[in-house]
């Protein structure tokens, strides 16, 4: 069986803790590799080496760092097929979806080519007599990123790209469920010209995460994953004096107004609800049609579309709409929640519980489910299911629908489908959620904007990628300079306005 490694000082390095996790092929249920789980000592040693490598990289001019990013873009494109295959084999998503995962990460690396522009700083000439004032952005030093299983290329690239472009050393702790692609990306960073030691990929679980949170050399930590872990990391990281940003779970609502194009809305819901088996933090998991007439017409359109969905392994090529979920435990949890929905009185109008894929009986496939008449007290409404399950909550009015989205504890993304500009504008302005789609079901901002949820979906002040990432991975320093020709007085004892 393949034994995966860590990536330390520009080389693959075997784990020494003696602890491993199995890496499954979710389509077959087979263990295809084992990944080492780093000890605190391994993590601390990698951080110490990163801290030694960082000053030289931080002092490299930003255009040279931008050129490494440019080379990385070319290399990722060169290896797109290979990366996508490795990603699908461990995650289970289809090859086109795996390429989308890589592409949305790649776009952030493209943005990072502009590091010189992002890091230019500010200058005020003649702020006082003979006085100039300027601000510069300096790297924080060593930063770390802890990432989830569901986007094993995109989120590591969102984290490492801006951190490295800003001149930091970076410790990546990817998900132990699908660690191969992050290791392949590290190899490509070296080929692109990144100096050894500047990027360390440490595989592991809670032990290595806690070691990151407690290591005094690490100045900033970015996390993406489930909300309970996000809250834990935010609390422990902040109390250790680090800069921390954590992005958590989601329950994204899509409101369908009576004037919406219902065919467009149904198509959008099927893609956004079931794509990637619902394992996206921006998946739509709650449909909120306004009015019973809209709800009946929507359900009538959804059922045949959902029943036609093709579920299968990524090796079946373009014939598949979505693949298996990531683990047997994830599958069991989804089916348990579906059963709770039935027990608590929701109407299961598409029942995927008996889904079986011939030849893949040990794979973690889950058939698509659609619930109608879901109420806000049910577990399927309150909890993140992270599977191919769409819940319909019927609202009588727009205000009631808006209230559902606003009252839910999560606030990652939401969408409204309507032809009415006034309603769309009101929704975008009032809703307390981070990313809003207007007739767009999955409104993931592009690389040059920023990505982040509100409420229990995001902890910390700054978002991911875009200009916020350059703020997160740098510290501002402001210099006030006066040269002897500008000095007109002796000692000054009082603050006063500069004239
Ligand atoms: P997870 O929280 O189980 O794991 C995320 C990371 O935390 C992994 O690297 C894991 O090793 C580590 N981890 C797990 N348990 C830990 C513990 N007890 N202590 C310390 N570290 C621990 O999440 P996941 O299942 O990999 O990913 C799915 C979740 O991520 C979903 O909730 C999804 O909504 C969320 N997500 C959010 C966003 C966003 O931007 N808001 C994006 C993608 C995924």
């Amino acid at each position: 069986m393949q034994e995966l490694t860590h990536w330390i000082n520009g080389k693959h390095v075997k784990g020494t803790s003696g602890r491993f996790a199995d890496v499954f092929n979710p389509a077959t249920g087979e263990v295809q590799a084992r990944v080492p789980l780093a000890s605190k000592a391994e993590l601390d040693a990698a951080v110490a080496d990163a801290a030694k490598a960082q000053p030289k990289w931080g002092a490299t001019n930003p255009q040279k760092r931008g050129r490494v990013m440019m080379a990385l873009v070319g290399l990722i494109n060169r290896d797109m097929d290979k990366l996508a295959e490795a990603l699908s084999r461990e995650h289970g998503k289809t090859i086109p979806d795996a390429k989308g995962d890589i592409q949305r990460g790649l776009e952030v690396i493209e943005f990072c080519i502009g590091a010189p522009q992002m890091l230019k700083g500010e200058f005020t000439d003649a702020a006082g007599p003979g006085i100039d004032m300027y601000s510069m952005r300096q790297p924080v030093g060593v930063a770390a990123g802890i990432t989830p299983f569901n986007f094993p290329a995109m989120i590591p690239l969102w984290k490492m790209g801006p951190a490295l472009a800003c001149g930091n050393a970076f410790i990546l702790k990817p998900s132990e469920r699908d660690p191969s692609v992050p290791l392949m990306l590290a190899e490509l960073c070296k080929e692109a010209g990144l100096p050894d030691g500047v990027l360390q990929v440490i595989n592991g679980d809670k032990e290595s995460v806690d070691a990151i949170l407690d290591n005094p050399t690490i100045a900033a930590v970015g996390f993406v994953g489930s909300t309970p872990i996000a809250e834990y990391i935010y609390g422990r990281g902040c109390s250790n004096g680090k800069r921390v940003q954590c992005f958590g779970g989601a329950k994204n609502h899509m409101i369908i107004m009576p004037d919406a194009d219902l065919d467009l809305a149904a198509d959008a819901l099927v893609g956004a609800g079931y794509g990637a088996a619902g394992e996206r933090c921006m998946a739509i998991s709650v449909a909120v049609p306004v009015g019973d007439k809209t709800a009946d017409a929507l359900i009538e359109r959804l059922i045949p579309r959902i029943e036609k969905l093709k579920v299968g392994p990524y090796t079946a090529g373009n014939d598949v709409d979505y693949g298996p979920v990531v683990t047997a435990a994830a599958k069991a949890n989804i089916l348990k929640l579906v059963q709770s929905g039935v027990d608590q009185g929701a109407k299961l109008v598409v029942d995927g519980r008996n889904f079986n894929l011939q030849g893949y009986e040990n794979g973690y496939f889950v058939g698509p489910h659609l619930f109608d008449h879901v109420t806000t007290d049910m577990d399927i409404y309150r909890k993140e299911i992270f599977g191919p399950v769409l819940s319909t909550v019927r609202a009588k009015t727009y205000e009631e629908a808006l209230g559902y989205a606003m009252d839910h504890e999560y606030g990652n993304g939401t969408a409204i489908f309507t032809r009415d500009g006034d309603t769309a504008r009101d929704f975008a302005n009032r809703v307390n959620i981070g990313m809003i789609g207007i007739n767009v079901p999955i409104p993931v901002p592009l690389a040059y904007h920023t990505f982040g949820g509100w409420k229990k979906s995001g902890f910390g002040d700054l978002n991911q990628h875009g200009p916020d990432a350059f703020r997160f991975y740098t510290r501002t320093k402001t210099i006030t300079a006066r040269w002897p020709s500008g000095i007109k007085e002796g000692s000054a004892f009082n603050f006063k306005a500069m004239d």
Side-chain angles (χ1 to χ4, degrees):
M1 189 196 310
Q2 193 193 2
E3 187 175 318
L4 298 172
T5 60
H6 306 296
W7 177 264
I8 300 172
N9 300 339
K11 286 194 283 294
H12 288 283
V13 173
K14 283 189 162 206
T16 57
S17 70
R19 294 195 310 124
F20 292 88
D22 288 336
V23 179
F24 293 89
N25 177 339
T28 63
E30 283 160 2
V31 177
Q32 53 183 333
R34 55 180 206 160
V35 60
L37 303 174
S39 63
K40 179 171 162 39
E42 285 172 291
L43 185 281
D44 287 344
V47 172
D49 288 346
K52 279 187 216 132
Q54 188 276 328
K56 194 167 169 209
W57 173 244
T60 303
N61 69 42
Q63 60 272 30
K64 283 195 181 149
R65 297 200 301 259
R67 279 182 209 127
V68 172
M69 295 291 134
M70 190 147 63
L72 182 58
V73 167
L75 294 171
I76 294 173
N77 275 317
R78 183 196 71 189
D79 286 1
M80 180 65 84
D81 290 342
K82 204 165 100 183
L83 289 162
E85 218 276 330
L87 196 157
S88 293
R89 199 170 55 234
E90 287 183 355
H91 177 284
K93 62 176 77 172
T94 65
I95 292 282
D97 202 32
K99 288 187 176 171
D101 182 331
I102 299 161
Q103 175 64 27
R104 292 308 286 265
L106 182 69
E107 289 167 11
V108 169
I109 304 298
E110 287 171 346
F111 181 74
C112 292
I113 296 170
Q117 167 69 10
M118 297 307 299
L119 296 170
K120 265 190 333 203
E122 295 167 337
F123 187 90
T124 302
D125 174 44
I131 295 178
D132 300 326
M133 198 172 281
Y134 57 100
S135 304
M136 53 169 105
R137 293 202 160 272
Q138 295 193 321
V140 295
V142 182
I146 300 153
T147 56
F149 82 84
N150 68 325
F151 282 100
M154 180 180 87
I155 297 179
L157 288 167
W158 284 9
K159 298 284 174 211
M160 68 166 87
L164 295 170
C166 288
N168 298 289
F170 191 68
I171 312 295
L172 175 67
K173 206 302 283 171
S175 170
E176 62 274 42
R177 315 230 180 285
D178 42 18
S180 288
V181 170
L183 289 167
M184 292 164 79
L185 293 172
E187 289 173 3
L188 295 183
C189 285
K190 182 179 169 97
E191 195 179 340
L194 192 72
D196 292 348
V198 170
L199 171 66
Q200 316 276 50
V201 181
I202 303 299
N203 283 304
D205 57 0
K206 182 170 165 50
E207 182 173 341
S208 48
V209 171
D210 287 347
I212 287 173
L213 298 173
D214 295 342
N215 186 303
T217 304
I218 295 177
V221 177
F223 169 86
V224 180
S226 59
T227 288
I229 311 296
E231 278 184 297
Y232 165 71
I233 288 178
Y234 190 69
R236 188 155 169 173
C238 288
S239 69
N240 283 336
K242 300 185 194 310
R243 183 180 289 192
V244 189
Q245 58 172 198
C246 293
F247 301 93
K251 196 80 181 174
N252 304 318
H253 292 51
M254 178 167 135
I255 293 171
I256 301 100
M257 295 298 293
D259 67 347
D261 178 330
L262 289 184
D263 286 308
L264 183 78
D267 285 341
L269 267 173
V270 171
Y274 302 94
E279 290 176 324
R280 291 180 182 140
C281 68
M282 289 293 277
I284 295 289
S285 47
V286 182
V288 190
V290 174
D292 276 333
K293 219 171 121 199
T294 313
D296 292 341
L298 183 72
I299 297 281
E300 190 185 302
R301 283 166 173 79
L302 282 173
I303 291 172
R305 284 168 166 84
I306 295 168
E307 285 176 343
K308 258 195 264 154
L309 285 174
K310 292 191 203 111
V311 185
Y314 75 93
T315 42
N318 291 339
D319 281 345
V320 169
D321 293 309
Y322 74 81
V325 298
V326 68
T327 55
K331 177 174 174 174
N333 184 49
I334 293 163
L335 293 177
K336 193 171 133 210
L337 278 162
V338 168
Q339 191 54 45
S340 81
V342 174
D343 295 345
Q344 290 170 13
K347 190 172 167 200
L348 188 57
V349 289
V350 178
D351 185 351
R353 283 177 295 179
N354 294 323
F355 179 84
N356 211 340
L357 193 64
Q358 232 188 348
Y360 291 90
E361 287 76 8
N362 295 326
Y364 313 135
F365 294 96
V366 180
H369 296 79
L370 175 66
F371 277 108
D372 195 3
H373 298 287
V374 173
T375 53
T376 55
D377 52 341
M378 294 177 182
D379 288 348
I380 52 169
Y381 180 76
R382 290 186 301 105
K383 297 187 176 173
E384 182 181 42
I385 302 175
F386 226 52
V389 183
L390 181 63
S391 297
T392 309
V393 178
R394 294 176 175 229
K396 289 194 181 56
T397 62
Y398 162 68
E399 285 297 331
E400 186 185 334
L402 173 68
Y404 289 139
M406 295 197 48
D407 291 346
H408 205 286
E409 65 172 347
Y410 291 119
N412 212 37
T414 186
I416 187 165
F417 273 60
T418 178
R419 289 187 168 96
D420 185 79
D422 223 13
T423 308
R425 185 171 184 277
D426 182 78
F427 181 71
N429 281 336
R430 284 169 63 198
V431 75
N432 55 358
I433 288 173
M435 293 168 282
I436 320 295
I438 297 173
N439 299 315
V440 172
I442 304 192
V444 175
L446 288 176
Y448 41 92
H449 288 267
T450 69
F451 180 112
W454 289 16
K455 300 187 276 183
K456 293 264 181 189
S457 298
F459 304 85
D461 300 328
L462 293 165
N463 278 353
Q464 309 189 79
H465 69 63
D468 268 11
F470 279 78
R471 294 183 190 113
F472 183 75
Y473 290 114
T474 54
R475 285 199 177 97
T476 307
K477 187 180 272 179
T478 306
I479 295 103
T480 305
R482 179 168 64 172
W483 298 99
S485 64
I487 299 174
K488 305 257 183 322
E489 61 189 43
S491 304
F493 295 95
N494 302 314
F495 271 9
K496 57 179 181 142
M498 280 187 187
D499 38 41

